Amino acid sequence: MTTVAMPNVGSALDRVDALEKVTGRARYAYENFPADLAYAVPVQATIAKGEISAVDVDAVLQLPGVIAAIWHANAPRLAPRNGDPELAVLQSSRVAYRGQYVAVVVAETLESASEAARVLRVRYDADEHDVELRPGHPGLYRPDHVNPYFPTDTEQGDPDAALAAARVVVDATYSTPAEHNNPMEPHATVAVWDAEGLTVYDSTQGASNIRDTLAPLFGLPPGSVRVISPHVGGGFGAKARAHPHVALAALAAKQVGRPVKLAVTRQQMFAVTGYRTPTIQRVRLGADADGRLTAIVHEAIEQSSTVSEFAEQTAVPTRMMYAAPNRRTTHRLVRLDVPTPSWMRAPGEAPGMYALESAMDELAIACRIDPIELRIRNEPDVDPESGRPFSSRNLVACLREGARRFGWAGRDPEPGIRREGGLLVGTGVAASVFPVYRMPSQATARAEPDGGFTVRIAAADIGTGARTVLTQIAADALDAPMDRVRVEIGDSALPPAWVAGGSAGTASWGTAVVRACEALMDVLHGRAGDVPPEGLEASADTTQEVRAQRRFAQHAFGAQFAEVAVDMDTGEARVRRLLGVFAAGRILNPKTARSQLIGGMTMGLSMALLEESVMDQEFGDYLNHDFAQYHIAASADVRDIDAVWIEEDDPGLNPMGSKGIGEIGIVGTAAAIANAVHHATGVRVRDLPIRLDKLVHGVI
Amino acid sequence: MDFLRPLTWDEALAYKAGRPEATPIQGGTDVMVEINLDKGRPAALLDLNPISELTGWSAEGRTVRVGAGVTYSRLIGELGSLLPGLAQAARTVGSPQIRNRGTVAGNLGAASPAGDSHPPLLASGAVVEAESARGRRMIPIGEFYTGVKRNALAPDELIRAVHVPAATGPQYFSKIGTRNAMVIAVCSFAIALHPGERRIGTGIGSAAPTPRRAVAAEEFLAGELDWDGRSALDPGVARRFGELVAEAASPIDDVRGRADYRLHSLSVMARRALGWAWKDYAGRGSA
């Protein structure tokens, strides 16, 4: 495959929908008001485990404006066969976690529905619950695979013997807390039934996917469900699959025979829209005196709910990062009485690389080797576990370029010795990685009689700039100026497409767009450029092309550098500088790409210092379930941040030559910061986040 | 929920007398959050925003009378030199939007132990002007906080103003949070030097059921400082002052921080705030 010359691709163009967004004309899911609209407010379980024994529906039906109160005893039956059991809303009297939907009230106004939901009496028979992930939990088991389809465990050589024989061993256990995605726009759904079927205005990362989920749930053919989602205020994975509120809105609308709007509140999101599992990870590294790895063992334990298994691929990046003849990765899961975890920006890589890259820093210190040099020494020639060649692997180039830009040379590795007044200052580095995926998608390209073009694909722009980048790609493939090309996305009535997930959106959609445009250009050439009054259309389906792809090991890489200053009297750690250097194929739009990368790095800073969903063991609730208590980095926490990239020409990827950049920015950031904190203070924090009290622990 | 909207102060007092369960609302930065988080529903809201007299402040002798409607932004902009400790605390409240709406009187009404205004009010020796249809009452700040989110107001009383003595010496406020903005204090501390009376004022936030003074620390320090000679601070005195401040607190473990961390950081903040204040005082003497 060769990449084609592209004048628009590679340019730092403004977003094509910027004006619509800043003037408030871009319409989000909640802002749809079909005629005869009613409002649904869900009722959430106030126990973590047990049975619903009674719901006093009659009392709330007396309240003004209330249309219906629905629970499992009077709910329409769904058909969640083979589907996600979380979507079987109001189908059972069983309560599997605190905050699970147990009823929904529909009323004429949001106020009436809220009031009725608040006073609705639900009686429970509560059971003892268990919501604590802990090592040695008797319920730990080996899942069949980890997300999305990786083997649960891998092993090569004899890692135990290699560790026993190793000159230097690092054996450390790291933990990461539950974290919640918290996109700026909370989830919202407006469901409308008519003679044709079901239409859903939703805030989603994948209209086709939501359609394909909802249709069987309600016993409909996919063609009878339409999902419309032109603008989405962020997702970070929390909108990549249908969560229970989507099914609940559709169920409520069906029951009352009117359009229904359901908005998930920020507080409710902590129970019903997914989150990142907490992890406990033991990493063991064995090395010779020169720091060459002889063994790598990464064992992760995580949680899922009793409703459904979500097994995060925490240790998977360890399978390909560094060379070592003896290696093992394992994942164990325990099913607790908690909400079901799901995808959150870089599932697997974000928590897994925090552990691995912290352990690499510990090994560098143990071997008295510069941490960059240590990584270079352990660079593999081919993917260590599969033996496949890398299509491109520029981790070393990223580390070297970052070292040059950051001023790494001459760094004194001794921890705890750089004082500036009352502050201790240090620097840290960590590697970053994210796999390259590409999934089948379809697109159409149309030549209009007025000389313009329309490209259609059910892609999603969740704030990434996808609409802009697809317009650039289409314009170049059509050899047309940007303002003559209109790209329509965010609607399941368009040609079906992969979700905005796995950092695979642009690669998947872009391939389909290029192929559709090429097909249209062929038709146009055959007609010497003549466009009939009804226009000309061509389509593409990339299923064959994607399946036929050569099986390289394909990943984007990066290096993250952090400088921190820690007040050792109070434990306040502040990140003074963050630099990310990435190798991610061709960067299609430097402006939106930089936003994606520094956005990911900021989220990584937030993961390092702030984000933590605290489980209340007594009530089974994430108790800091609002923005007053769940802290995300504010602008004032981000002093000096930059993301740059090195040129990478990898023609084996896709027609654009691009790798995904939506997630890699968060990977490794927390380790770089934790490593810098250690360099500054001599305190190794192995449990995120790096809270104030953990840094003064030795003092008090 | 009823929404009561008096246009004059007397009307507000009459409403409150008739509906003592009504919750007064000014900036709404606390009341609305509580409602949104479903932490109780007031039977009625009493909106004080239309009463324009509340938004004024005046210097009356050596005291500044700050109306209940004066926002944090205006405190910062207009009262930074008269009430430096309170203005410093105001700068750390929420975000610019919150500071444009929130008021010190609202902080007093909510009486959260983490409210940023409380430590400087305690250190300055402020007095709360409370009023009801029955009459007016001046409540010394030390008697105002009665429990977690409880204060000395009678059910029919409203806060009309807070009277804060103008600074006669250096004042400092220190706060620890987990991030650089929009953060509830893990704990906080204020100090005010009152050189005329050879007295120290202190205030501790977020480290006890109520905001409180560290009285033993104040008395110790007042006796140890070289008020006349303005000589350098004895590090031993500063350290002991920090210890006494921590001893005055009785913190708990919560999501924002551990109790032992709060005690530790309180002593650090007390020592530091004293250092800054004494440096100013000693510097002024030699100038």
Side-chain angles (χ1 to χ4, degrees):
Chain A
M1 191 184 308
T2 52
T3 51
V4 287
M6 294 181 153
N8 288 301
V9 162
S11 301
L13 300 176
D14 289 341
R15 288 166 193 256
V16 295
D17 48 10
L19 189 63
E20 256 187 295
K21 286 189 171 179
V22 298
T23 55
R25 280 187 285 126
R27 188 179 290 186
Y28 291 78
Y30 187 82
E31 299 169 317
N32 288 283
F33 295 87
D36 210 22
L37 181 66
Y39 292 82
V41 171
V43 178
Q44 296 178 278
T46 55
I47 62 166
K49 187 183 185 185
E51 295 280 330
I52 305 157
S53 57
V55 174
D56 193 358
V57 167
D58 293 342
V60 299
L61 289 176
Q62 310 302 316
L63 296 175
V66 173
I67 300 164
I70 311 167
W71 64 302
H72 87 90
N74 64 0
R77 296 276 74 92
L78 300 175
R81 284 182 302 276
N82 305 322
D84 178 356
E86 276 278 9
L87 299 182
V89 288
L90 312 188
Q91 301 298 296
S92 148
S93 61
R94 178 177 162 242
V95 173
Y97 56 88
R98 191 181 172 106
Q100 189 175 25
Y101 292 145
V102 294
V104 62
V105 177
V106 186
E108 298 290 345
T109 65
L110 176 61
E111 289 76 13
S112 299
S114 301
E115 179 65 7
R118 191 177 70 85
V119 301
L120 183 67
R121 294 265 319 264
V122 180
R123 278 191 283 274
Y124 302 95
D125 294 323
D127 294 334
E128 287 284 303
H129 61 256
D130 179 2
V131 293
E132 187 190 7
L133 177 68
R134 54 191 186 274
H137 193 291
L140 283 167
Y141 72 99
R142 183 183 179 284
D144 288 341
H145 64 274
V146 294
N147 177 62
Y149 44 74
F150 290 109
T152 304
D153 299 344
T154 58
E155 181 158 333
Q156 284 181 353
D158 188 343
D160 297 315
L163 282 169
R167 178 81 177 271
V168 183
V169 174
V170 167
D171 180 353
T173 299
Y174 305 87
S175 73
T176 60
E179 297 156 1
H180 280 76
N181 311 51
N182 278 313
M184 192 180 292
E185 179 205 20
H187 300 60
T189 304
V190 178
V192 186
W193 290 85
D194 60 18
E196 314 279 299
L198 172 65
T199 300
V200 168
Y201 301 89
D202 193 32
S203 180
T204 177
Q205 294 175 229
S208 305
N209 185 39
I210 302 294
R211 178 198 62 188
D212 293 346
T213 305
L214 285 180
L217 194 63
F218 287 92
L220 298 169
S224 298
V225 176
R226 183 171 173 197
V227 178
I228 301 172
S229 183
H231 296 286
V232 180
F236 308 126
K239 297 171 180 171
R241 58 157 46 119
H243 287 290
H245 68 277
V246 183
L248 195 64
L251 177 148
K254 188 176 185 186
Q255 179 85 333
V256 301
R258 287 172 60 175
V260 160
K261 176 179 292 191
L262 191 159
V264 184
T265 66
R266 182 66 64 187
Q267 291 86 351
Q268 290 166 1
M269 283 170 66
F270 282 78
V272 295
T273 58
Y275 63 100
R276 194 194 295 287
T277 177
T279 70
I280 300 169
Q281 305 175 52
R282 185 179 182 198
V283 179
R284 282 174 287 171
L285 303 176
D288 65 19
D290 295 330
R292 285 194 174 72
L293 287 163
T294 53
I296 306 176
V297 177
H298 191 163
E299 296 156 314
I301 71 169
E302 311 156 1
Q303 73 187 31
S304 192
S305 70
T306 61
V307 179
S308 161
E309 181 186 274
F310 179 82
E312 187 157 325
Q313 67 274 37
T314 311
V316 164
T318 299
R319 294 175 184 170
M320 48 62 61
M321 277 305 292
Y322 301 112
N326 305 288
R327 46 204 310 141
R328 178 193 300 135
T329 60
T330 68
H331 298 84
R332 295 294 178 268
L333 207 60
V334 59
R335 307 285 283 271
L336 300 171
D337 305 310
V338 296
T340 309
S342 184
W343 303 298
M344 178 165 161
R345 203 174 202 171
E349 278 76 15
M353 286 289 279
Y354 159 67
L356 177 65
E357 291 298 292
S358 293
M360 285 296 280
D361 199 63
E362 299 204 44
L363 181 65
I365 291 166
C367 295
R368 297 180 175 279
I369 296 173
D370 179 80
I372 292 177
E373 175 58 27
L374 178 75
R375 288 169 172 87
I376 293 170
R377 274 184 204 178
N378 288 291
E379 178 75 359
D381 299 327
V382 295
D383 180 7
E385 294 204 357
S386 71
R388 283 187 203 141
F390 290 99
S391 68
S392 53
R393 179 178 165 119
N394 282 302
L395 172 60
V396 171
C398 290
L399 287 163
R400 290 199 165 122
E401 175 66 8
R404 187 183 71 74
R405 287 175 176 263
F406 192 76
W408 188 263
R411 173 182 182 266
D412 182 346
E414 189 64 27
I417 57 167
R418 283 153 301 277
R419 285 192 177 272
E420 288 182 17
L423 302 175
L424 285 168
V425 179
T427 52
V429 65
S432 185
V433 69
F434 200 84
V436 171
Y437 297 111
R438 188 168 60 144
M439 306 301 283
S441 294
Q442 297 176 32
T444 59
R446 194 179 161 75
E448 308 291 355
D450 66 359
F453 296 94
T454 307
V455 173
R456 295 188 170 95
I457 180 166
D461 189 331
I462 62 171
T464 55
R467 186 179 270 109
T468 305
V469 170
L470 292 178
T471 306
Q472 292 173 256
I473 292 168
D476 285 353
L478 293 164
D479 196 17
M482 285 278 287
D483 61 5
R484 301 300 289 159
V485 178
R486 176 180 163 76
V487 173
E488 294 181 4
I489 63 173
D491 187 337
S492 70
L494 301 170
W498 172 247
V499 297
S503 295
T506 302
S508 308
W509 309 325
T511 302
V513 165
V514 166
R515 299 305 173 221
C517 291
E518 287 171 348
L520 179 64
M521 292 296 269
D522 282 349
V523 176
L524 275 172
H525 286 314
R527 298 173 58 100
D530 173 54
V531 179
E534 69 276 15
L536 280 175
E537 185 168 302
S539 62
D541 180 341
T542 64
T543 306
Q544 293 305 321
E545 177 177 351
V546 169
R547 288 203 181 130
Q549 186 157 301
R550 279 194 61 197
R551 304 289 281 171
F552 281 105
Q554 295 182 330
H555 304 265
F557 290 88
Q560 306 241 15
F561 292 78
E563 177 183 326
V564 304
V566 180
D567 183 324
M568 276 315 282
D569 290 326
T570 63
E572 291 164 290
R574 300 295 189 249
V575 177
R576 288 180 165 184
R577 283 198 290 156
L578 261 188
L579 170 68
V581 181
F582 300 95
R586 181 191 278 179
I587 298 299
L588 305 181
N589 181 329
K591 194 169 194 171
T592 53
R594 184 171 184 277
S595 295
Q596 284 272 70
L597 293 167
I598 64 172
M601 291 164 66
T602 301
M603 206 164 171
L605 183 159
S606 202
M607 172 185 176
L609 300 182
L610 299 167
E611 293 191 41
E612 177 176 29
S613 301
V614 179
M615 176 54 77
D616 182 331
Q617 304 291 337
E618 186 178 349
F619 296 105
D621 193 15
Y622 283 114
L623 66 84
N624 54 339
H625 54 217
D626 57 61
F627 277 175
Q629 299 178 91
Y630 184 93
H631 283 174
I632 295 166
S635 294
D637 296 306
V638 185
R639 307 280 181 78
D640 176 348
I641 189 167
D642 201 11
V644 297
W645 43 86
I646 60 168
E647 294 295 320
E648 194 173 67
D649 182 18
D650 185 340
L653 299 167
N654 57 52
M656 293 77 61
S658 63
K659 295 178 179 176
I661 51 169
E663 292 166 271
I664 191 168
I666 195 177
V667 180
T669 323
I673 291 169
N675 295 343
V677 165
H678 177 266
H679 187 233
T681 65
V683 178
R684 176 68 64 182
V685 178
R686 298 191 182 89
D687 306 289
L688 291 183
I690 305 169
R691 285 204 330 240
L692 317 176
D693 50 9
K694 293 177 186 173
L695 289 177
V696 293
H697 191 63
V699 183
I700 57 180
Chain B
M1 189 189 301
D2 295 325
F3 191 73
L4 312 174
R5 201 149 207 259
L7 298 178
T8 66
W9 180 247
D10 287 342
E11 222 181 320
L13 294 179
Y15 269 126
K16 187 69 170 152
R19 299 285 302 273
E21 76 282 9
T23 298
I25 182 166
Q26 182 82 49
T29 61
D30 192 76
V31 172
M32 290 312 298
V33 172
E34 296 282 304
I35 291 173
N36 282 337
L37 296 186
D38 239 351
K39 292 179 179 167
R41 285 201 151 201
L45 287 178
L46 179 62
D47 179 15
L48 302 178
N49 282 279
I51 305 168
S52 54
E53 69 151 271
L54 295 178
T55 62
W57 64 267
S58 56
E60 299 175 353
R62 291 302 307 158
T63 296
V64 184
R65 180 179 182 275
V66 182
V70 175
T71 63
Y72 293 114
S73 292
R74 288 188 52 215
L75 258 178
I76 296 164
E78 300 166 29
L79 289 167
S81 55
L82 286 170
L83 309 176
L86 192 58
Q88 282 174 33
R91 279 189 200 102
T92 76
V93 173
S95 61
Q97 295 90 331
I98 299 290
R99 294 193 287 274
N100 285 340
R101 292 291 309 168
T103 63
V104 171
N107 231 204
L108 287 166
S112 158
D116 292 313
S117 314
H118 308 315
L121 292 175
L122 284 161
S124 302
V127 175
V128 179
E129 179 184 335
E131 198 169 347
S132 71
R134 298 175 289 116
R136 196 177 72 142
R137 192 157 74 101
M138 301 299 283
I139 308 172
I141 193 71
E143 297 163 21
F144 185 78
Y145 310 106
T146 56
V148 177
K149 299 196 174 186
R150 286 188 294 120
N151 58 38
L153 293 175
D156 62 345
E157 280 181 321
L158 294 171
I159 298 169
R160 187 169 192 171
V162 56
H163 297 248
V164 191
T168 57
Q171 300 186 344
Y172 279 95
F173 174 75
S174 180
K175 165 177 169 179
I176 290 184
T178 51
R179 65 182 169 190
N180 283 339
M182 296 195 292
V183 70
I184 305 169
V186 174
C187 54
S188 58
F189 178 75
I191 191 168
L193 267 53
H194 305 287
E197 307 153 57
R198 306 277 162 102
R199 194 168 61 74
I200 299 294
T202 60
I204 294 171
S206 217
T210 65
R212 58 166 68 154
R213 286 165 58 194
V215 177
E218 293 175 3
E219 288 170 356
F220 161 77
L221 185 61
E224 294 290 331
L225 290 174
D226 178 13
W227 292 102
D228 295 326
R230 301 179 190 241
S231 57
L233 192 61
D234 176 352
V237 168
R239 198 161 46 246
R240 182 65 189 142
F241 175 66
E243 287 166 10
L244 288 169
V245 166
E247 281 174 25
S250 50
I252 55 166
D253 289 328
D254 68 13
V255 176
R256 297 200 301 279
R258 286 179 2 206
D260 57 357
Y261 173 79
R262 288 191 157 104
L263 292 176
H264 168 78
S265 57
L266 260 184
S267 65
V268 171
M269 285 192 294
R271 219 163 55 218
R272 280 186 186 168
L274 170 59
W276 299 327
W278 191 255
K279 192 175 165 204
D280 285 2
Y281 180 72
R284 273 178 217 172
S286 61

